[in-house]
């Protein structure tokens, strides 16, 4: 018996589909090595048996099929006699049998409809691509079978496309190259496959780089004139430093920060400081180019080491902070108080004006830099005692300490004591303007500070009074009569007694100045963070606070806003006995500087885009399973629903057509033929008669080699019906239907997917 090429090809396609399905989806139906008593190979053999039986059925003649059917019935009967064997077979092998039968039926379907085969190949490639990009580890043999199936479908389509031969000849060609397919299968099988899914790191890197470029262009170039550091856009109002009105939080990410293990306190990032208040808002009239932030750190470092060099780490602690600008564009360079050094930031990129670091050109997305600074152990009694009793007369070994600080931290600047004197003079000139108080506020201030023994206790008493008031983001606009410092204090302290951070910071600065203490108003971001955690700084972390200048120590922050004291004040425990080399201030400054350099060398710069991707991946992994299930069910329901709608529509159309009279049926079939002509490329031109269309189509059709070619008589009949008022008869309808079948065959040869559509939708026979 000679094996038919058609059956051999069917058998090959069905086997590939069956093996690919079982290998890729086997676990979902219980086929997994070691999970069931029998080996998984038994299931593959069962699938091969099903495909082989179906292939034999089409190969055998009538007698052979009868013998095969009898053998199947006998085998089923024997198994049913053993109840345990039958239950085991039904439980374990029914899914495999159904998959095998489905693969055989599908091979017959793609043989008849080439478009379905091409569509299935695209679907297989799509699933492989999704699994590959999704880093799923598919079975090696399953991928081999899937790729071989796609290759065979493509070669068959390409052959039929170019040779324009009948489908049987195409199958014969596919069988002739079967040795090639076998060789391909063997080579793909023995090729090594990595155990872990491919992570596509290079694609992720390319995507991240492209994304960074696009974001930088869109955020830094398109919005070149935008300033985000103002209340209303980043938590601040439209004009920075202005008071009055309500605020709302957008929660937009503006930057990301990451500290070091040595970071012990929460971070206040200073953006702008102001010195002049006119009753409704703050402005800066300090135009000095003194590097206030670095000189302030220098003064504090100098004072602490003069007073208590061996225990300096009880007052201050050095650390480092990495900052990355996100959806944020500003002219401000944000740093914490007591910043001593900037890394990855050239001096030419910014300038120091009036206590602020300002960029020459606005910066935004992607800007990354590191700031080294000293944390203050604020709110610790030891620090308050130092602030209350500090005096330059108590400084010891001033020249020696100065040389050490210059050598270790200020090599390029070479600050001297004269620089501190100029800095102090500038502060008293710009930040200690006298404040006039009304009699009621003066009495209130006297009452609040009556038990204070020094300036520090006065400041803490003022701070405590303000913290007892009400915090709200909706205090409303200031009354029209508020037009001075005194009027603002009268309204806020005596009448309203509620507001947000701007109100409290302003009141504190004015009351401190009324006591003769230099103070300034600062705006920036209040960020709860400790240690090495990466923290996203959002717009609702925007904040305002006061800073007070303590002679010979520097600027000291306070927190009068209700609810914020727990964030500002996070003191660390002091060390009564400090071992050499243990933290800042232990041993010599040379050892401390060595520790700093070690920390700097070992630290890695903040790479926020990667950390953001890791966070997104971690969050996505929690819901990916549910999303895949929802997406899968949605696709299934859409497909099933579409099939049901089309099926019902087809049934209704058939029922409606059967009720048509002769004329209605004739017109319906003529319109269907006209549409098929259009798909085949014979679209009716403007001002072209039906006879001219017939002649043009026939002239082209006459050059085609085909047994069945339509004569296009239906165009003549249609023209006679339209213009000759001929009555439609059965002969005319039969001719239209006959030529419709010819057109359908032409669609099948040239436009496979259109043939399926017109066959299902317009064939009412």
């Amino acid at each position: 018996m000679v094996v038919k090429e058609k059956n051999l090809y069917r058998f090959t396609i069905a086997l590939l589909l069956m093996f690919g399905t079982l290998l890729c989806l086997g676990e979902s139906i219980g086929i997994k090595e070691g999970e069931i008593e029998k080996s998984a190979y038994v299931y593959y053999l069962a699938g091969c048996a099903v495909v082989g039986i179906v292939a034999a059925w089409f190969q055998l003649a009538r007698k052979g099929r009868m013998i095969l059917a009898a053998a199947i019935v006998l085998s089923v009967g024997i198994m049913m006699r053993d109840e345990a064997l039958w239950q085991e077979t039904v439980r374990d092998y029914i899914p495999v049998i159904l998959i095998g039968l489905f693969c055989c039926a599908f091979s017959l379907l793609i043989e008849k409809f080439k478009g379905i085969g091409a569509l299935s190949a695209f679907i297989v490639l799509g699933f492989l691509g999704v699994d590959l990009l999704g880093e799923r580890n598919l079975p090696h043999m399953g991928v081999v079978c899937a790729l071989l199936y796609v290759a065979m479908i493509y070669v068959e389509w390409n052959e039929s496309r170019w040779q324009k031969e009948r489908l049987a000849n195409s199958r014969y060609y596919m069988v002739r190259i079967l040795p090639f397919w076998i060789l391909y299968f063997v080579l793909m099988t023995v090729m090594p496959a990595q155990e872990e899914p491919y992570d596509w790191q290079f694609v992720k890197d390319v995507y991240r780089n492209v994304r960074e470029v696009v974001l930088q262009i869109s955020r830094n170039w398109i919005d070149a004139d935008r300033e985000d550091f103002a209340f209303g856009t980043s938590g601040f109002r439209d004009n920075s430093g202005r008071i009055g009105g309500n605020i709302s939080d957008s929660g937009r990410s503006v930057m990301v920060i990451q500290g070091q293990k040595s970071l012990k306190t929460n971070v206040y990032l200073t953006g702008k400081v102001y010195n002049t208040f006119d009753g409704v808002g703050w402005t800066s009239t300090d135009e000095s180019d003194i590097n206030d932030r670095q000189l302030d750190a220098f003064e504090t470092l100098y004072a602490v080491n003069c007073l208590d060099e061996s225990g300096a780490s009880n007052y201050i602690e050095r650390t480092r902070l990495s900052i990355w600008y996100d959806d944020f564009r500003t002219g401000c360079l944000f740093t914490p108080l007591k910043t001593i050094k900037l890394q990855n930031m050239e001096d030419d990129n910014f300038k120091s004006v009036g206590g602020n670091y300002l960029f020459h050109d606005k910066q935004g997305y992607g800007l990354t830099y590191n700031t080294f600074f000293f944390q203050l152990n604020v709110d610790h009694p030891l620090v308050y005692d130092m602030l209350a009793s500090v005096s330059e007369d108590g400084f010891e070994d001033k020249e020696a300490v100065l040389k050490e600080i210059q050598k270790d931290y200020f090599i390029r600047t070479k600050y001297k004591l004269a620089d501190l004197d100029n800095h102090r003079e500038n502060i008293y000139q710009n930040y200690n303007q006298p404040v006039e108080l009304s009699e009621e506020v003066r009495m209130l201030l006297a009452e609040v500070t009556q038990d204070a023994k020094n300036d520090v206790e006065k400041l803490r008493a003022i701070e405590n009074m303000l913290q007892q008031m009400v915090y709200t983001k909706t205090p409303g606009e200031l009354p029209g009569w508020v037009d001075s410092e005194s009027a603002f204090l009268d309204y806020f302290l005596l009448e309203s007694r509620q507001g947000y951070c701007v109100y409290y910071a302003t009141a504190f600065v004015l009351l401190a100045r009324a006591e003769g203490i230099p103070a300034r108003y600062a705006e920036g971001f209040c960020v709860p963070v400790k240690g090495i955690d990466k923290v996203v700084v959002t717009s609702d972390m925007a904040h305002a606070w006061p800073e007070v200048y303590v002679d010979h120590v520097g600027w000291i922050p306070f927190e009068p806003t209700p609810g914020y004291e727990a964030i500002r004040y996070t003191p660390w425990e002091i060390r009564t006995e400090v071992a050499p080399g243990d933290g800042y201030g232990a041993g010599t400054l040379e050892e401390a500087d060595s520790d700093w350099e070690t920390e700097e060398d070992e630290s890695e710069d903040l790479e926020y885009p990667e950390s953001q991707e890791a966070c997104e991946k971690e969050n996505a992994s929690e819901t990916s399973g549910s999303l895949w299930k929802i997406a899968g069910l949605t696709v299934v329901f859409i497909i099933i629903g579409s099939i049901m709608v089309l099926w019902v529509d087809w049934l209704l159309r058939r029922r409606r057509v059967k009720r048509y009279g002769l004329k209605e049926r004739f017109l319906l079939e003529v319109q269907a033929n006209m549409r098929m002509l259009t798909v085949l490329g014979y679209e009716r031109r403007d001002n072209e008669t039906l006879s001219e269309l017939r002649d043009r189509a026939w002239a082209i059709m006459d050059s085609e080699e085909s047994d069945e070619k339509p004569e296009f008589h239906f165009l003549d009949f249609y023209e006679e019906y339209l213009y000759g008022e001929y009555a439609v008869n059965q002969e005319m309808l039969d001719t239209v239907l006959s030529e419709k079948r010819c057109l359908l065959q032409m669609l099948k040869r040239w436009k496979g997917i259109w043939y399926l559509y017109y066959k299902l939708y317009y064939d009412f026979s």
Side-chain angles (χ1 to χ4, degrees):
M1 180 179 61
V2 179
V3 178
K4 300 177 182 178
E5 294 87 356
K6 184 185 296 186
N7 289 335
L8 182 58
Y9 182 76
R10 290 173 183 168
F11 178 72
T12 304
I13 290 293
L15 276 182
L16 286 176
L17 289 171
M18 187 272 301
F19 272 114
T21 304
L22 291 181
L23 286 166
C24 295
L25 305 178
E27 291 188 15
S28 62
I29 60 175
I31 302 176
K32 184 177 180 182
E33 187 78 34
E35 184 175 307
I36 307 176
E37 294 181 359
K38 289 173 287 300
S39 172
Y41 293 105
V42 177
Y43 295 92
Y44 302 134
L45 293 176
C48 291
V50 173
V51 176
I53 291 172
V54 175
W57 181 271
F58 285 97
Q59 177 69 25
L60 295 173
R62 180 179 299 177
K63 291 183 179 179
R65 292 179 180 178
M66 293 178 63
I67 296 173
L68 181 61
I72 295 174
V73 172
L74 181 62
S75 300
V76 172
I78 293 174
M79 287 188 293
M80 292 182 67
R81 294 182 61 184
D82 188 339
E83 185 177 353
L85 177 62
W86 175 250
Q87 291 180 353
E88 181 182 9
T89 302
V90 172
R91 183 186 70 243
D92 295 345
Y93 293 101
I94 285 297
V96 179
I97 295 173
L98 293 177
I99 289 175
L101 292 175
F102 171 79
C103 293
C104 292
F106 193 76
S107 67
L108 293 173
L109 188 63
I110 63 177
E111 178 184 339
K112 190 171 184 180
F113 305 107
K114 292 184 294 183
I116 294 180
L119 179 61
S120 65
F122 278 113
I123 292 175
V124 170
L125 284 177
F127 274 111
L128 290 178
V130 170
D131 291 332
L132 190 62
L133 294 175
E135 301 182 15
R136 290 183 58 191
N137 197 3
L138 290 176
H140 177 61
M141 290 301 299
V143 176
V144 170
C145 292
L147 292 177
L148 182 56
Y149 170 76
V150 173
M152 292 184 71
I153 293 295
Y154 171 75
V155 171
E156 179 190 357
W157 172 82
N158 189 63
E159 174 66 14
S160 62
R161 183 80 173 177
W162 285 98
Q163 297 297 329
K164 294 186 179 179
E165 296 180 354
R166 289 186 177 276
L167 194 59
N169 292 333
S170 178
R171 296 287 188 270
Y172 178 68
Y173 169 79
M174 297 298 295
V175 172
R176 282 188 300 171
I177 64 173
L178 190 60
F180 165 77
W181 297 125
I182 296 175
L183 179 61
Y184 169 85
F185 182 81
V186 173
L187 290 177
M188 291 288 290
T189 302
V190 299
M191 285 181 63
Q194 60 182 30
E195 297 181 359
E196 297 296 328
Y198 191 67
D199 59 4
W200 293 96
Q201 188 58 46
F202 80 96
V203 176
K204 295 176 183 177
D205 293 339
V206 171
Y207 166 76
R208 184 162 50 248
N209 293 334
V210 172
R211 178 178 179 271
E212 290 299 303
V213 172
V214 172
L215 287 175
Q216 286 186 359
I217 292 175
S218 63
R219 295 179 179 176
N220 298 339
W221 182 64
I222 297 177
D223 299 328
D225 296 329
R226 189 180 76 181
E227 172 60 59
D228 280 340
F229 187 56
F231 258 117
T233 55
S234 64
F236 289 91
R237 284 178 50 82
D238 295 336
N239 295 315
S240 191
R242 302 296 292 178
I243 296 181
N246 303 328
I247 60 172
S248 59
D249 300 331
S250 65
R252 177 169 51 89
S253 171
V254 294
M255 63 178 73
V256 174
I257 65 173
Q258 181 183 20
Q260 300 294 307
K261 293 180 180 179
S262 54
L263 183 61
K264 298 180 178 180
T265 63
N266 295 315
V267 173
Y268 277 60
L269 292 173
T270 303
K272 297 178 182 177
V273 296
Y274 299 90
N275 68 325
T276 303
F277 183 68
D278 60 4
V280 293
W282 286 93
T283 57
S284 179
T285 58
D286 181 6
E287 298 181 354
S288 63
D289 58 357
I290 296 176
N291 194 335
D292 173 86
R293 299 193 185 184
Q294 198 173 63
L295 274 169
D296 174 58
F298 173 70
E299 184 172 28
T300 303
L301 185 64
Y302 171 71
V304 168
N305 280 277
C306 284
L307 293 172
D308 187 4
E309 179 181 355
S310 63
S313 60
N314 290 328
Y315 303 92
I316 58 177
E317 186 79 34
R318 71 185 183 279
T319 190
R320 168 189 166 180
L321 190 71
S322 298
I323 300 175
W324 185 86
Y325 282 16
D326 189 8
D327 188 10
F328 190 50
R329 186 161 185 81
T330 181
C332 302
L333 195 163
F334 287 80
T335 63
L337 193 64
K338 312 300 179 186
T339 291
I340 201 80
K341 177 181 178 182
L342 291 173
Q343 189 181 47
N344 300 332
M345 180 62 63
E346 298 295 332
D347 292 342
D348 296 339
N349 292 341
F350 67 96
K351 58 185 177 180
S352 179
V353 179
N356 298 308
Y357 281 160
L358 303 176
F359 293 112
H360 296 295
D361 298 312
K362 291 181 180 179
Q363 301 294 316
Y365 182 87
L367 178 69
T368 306
Y369 58 93
N370 304 316
T371 172
F372 296 85
F373 66 101
F374 288 99
Q375 307 163 89
L376 281 171
N377 196 10
V378 290
D379 204 44
H380 196 285
L382 182 68
V383 175
Y384 284 132
D385 290 343
M386 183 267 290
L387 295 176
S389 60
V390 65
S391 171
E392 191 176 15
D393 296 337
F395 289 0
E396 300 178 359
D397 300 325
K398 292 186 288 186
E399 293 298 329
V401 171
L402 182 63
K403 289 182 180 179
E404 290 296 329
I405 293 176
Q406 288 175 340
K407 181 183 70 174
D408 294 338
Y409 304 109
F410 300 95
I411 297 176
R412 289 186 296 175
T413 52
K414 294 291 185 182
Y415 288 129
K416 300 178 180 179
L417 294 181
D419 296 315
L420 292 181
D421 294 336
N422 294 333
H423 179 229
R424 190 178 302 112
E425 181 180 348
N426 179 71
I427 290 174
Y428 273 90
Q429 179 180 348
N430 288 286
Y431 298 95
N432 196 30
Q433 300 97 322
V435 176
E436 295 184 5
L437 303 179
S438 66
E439 186 62 27
E440 292 84 353
V441 172
R442 187 178 302 279
M443 292 176 59
L444 175 63
L445 180 60
E447 180 182 353
V448 168
T449 60
Q450 62 181 349
D451 296 329
K453 300 177 182 178
N454 50 58
D455 287 348
V456 173
E457 291 187 3
K458 288 181 180 179
L459 294 171
R460 296 190 67 186
I462 296 171
E463 180 184 51
N464 183 67
M465 175 197 67
L466 294 173
Q467 288 174 353
Q468 307 307 312
M469 296 169 64
V470 178
Y471 178 87
T472 178
K473 296 180 180 179
T474 57
E477 296 291 342
L478 292 176
W481 55 269
V482 176
D483 57 359
S484 64
E485 298 171 337
S486 176
F488 170 78
L489 290 175
D490 287 344
Y491 169 74
F492 180 59
L493 297 179
L494 305 177
E495 183 176 333
S496 171
R497 295 187 61 81
Q498 64 175 0
Y500 44 85
C501 55
V502 174
Y503 289 76
Y504 292 97
T506 299
F508 186 96
V509 171
L510 297 179
L511 294 176
R513 289 180 179 180
E515 291 290 338
I517 305 172
R520 67 184 182 185
Y521 169 89
E523 288 183 345
F525 293 99
C526 169
V527 188
V529 58
K530 288 185 180 180
I532 62 175
D533 294 336
K534 292 185 179 71
V535 176
V536 177
V537 181
T538 57
S539 57
D540 52 11
M541 294 181 182
H543 191 52
W545 63 91
E547 294 174 350
V548 173
Y549 179 74
V550 177
D551 273 346
H552 308 296
V553 175
W555 291 107
I556 303 299
F558 284 81
E559 186 52 89
T561 303
Y564 278 80
E565 59 272 15
I567 301 177
R568 166 65 78 180
Y569 299 124
T570 54
W572 62 82
E573 295 297 325
I574 65 172
R575 289 173 284 186
T576 54
E577 295 182 3
V578 184
D582 184 18
Y584 178 74
T588 65
L589 280 174
E590 215 172 72
E591 293 170 341
D593 183 56
S594 175
D595 291 342
W596 183 308
E597 294 298 330
T598 301
E599 181 176 359
E600 178 181 344
D601 294 340
E602 293 178 352
S603 302
E604 297 181 358
D605 293 339
L606 175 65
E607 297 180 359
Y608 174 65
E610 291 187 2
S611 68
Q612 183 186 43
E613 180 186 356
C615 294
E616 292 175 351
K617 185 175 180 181
E618 180 180 352
N619 294 334
S621 64
E622 298 177 359
T623 58
S624 60
S626 299
L627 291 177
W628 274 107
K629 290 180 181 178
I630 294 173
L633 290 174
T634 302
V635 172
V636 170
F637 285 135
I638 290 175
I639 294 174
I640 294 176
S642 301
I643 293 174
M644 292 295 294
V645 170
L646 292 175
W647 180 66
V648 172
D649 181 68
W650 180 77
L651 289 178
L652 294 175
R653 282 174 59 84
R654 284 181 63 88
R655 184 177 180 182
R656 187 167 57 250
V657 168
K658 287 181 179 181
R659 297 178 180 178
Y660 280 177
L662 196 62
K663 184 178 70 172
E664 290 81 6
R665 179 68 182 275
F666 169 80
L667 294 175
L668 176 67
E669 299 294 354
V670 167
Q671 292 300 321
N673 289 358
M674 295 287 288
R675 290 191 181 95
M676 285 189 282
L677 276 179
T678 301
V679 173
L680 290 169
Y682 308 122
E683 186 177 5
R684 188 178 181 183
R685 298 170 181 171
D686 294 336
N687 301 321
E688 186 179 43
T689 66
L690 293 172
S691 299
E692 291 172 345
L693 173 62
R694 178 204 60 202
D695 295 337
R696 180 166 60 88
W698 176 250
I700 300 174
M701 188 65 62
D702 191 51
S703 62
E704 295 292 334
E705 298 180 1
S706 176
D707 296 335
E708 297 181 7
K709 292 185 290 186
E711 298 290 339
F712 300 109
H713 291 309
F714 76 92
L715 293 174
D716 296 330
F717 293 153
Y718 189 44
E719 190 172 44
E720 291 173 357
Y721 168 80
L722 290 175
Y723 307 110
E725 298 183 355
Y726 278 73
V728 178
N729 54 48
Q730 187 64 42
E731 181 182 357
M732 295 170 63
L733 179 59
D734 292 340
T735 302
V736 173
L737 292 174
S738 175
E739 293 185 344
K740 178 182 179 181
R741 287 190 289 271
C742 294
L743 292 172
L744 283 171
Q745 290 302 316
M746 293 172 63
L747 283 176
K748 183 177 180 180
R749 291 196 301 271
W750 299 346
K751 308 284 185 179
I753 190 66
W754 284 107
Y755 165 74
L756 180 62
Y757 170 74
Y758 280 95
K759 179 68 176 176
L760 294 176
Y761 205 69
Y762 287 101
D763 189 4
F764 306 109
S765 57

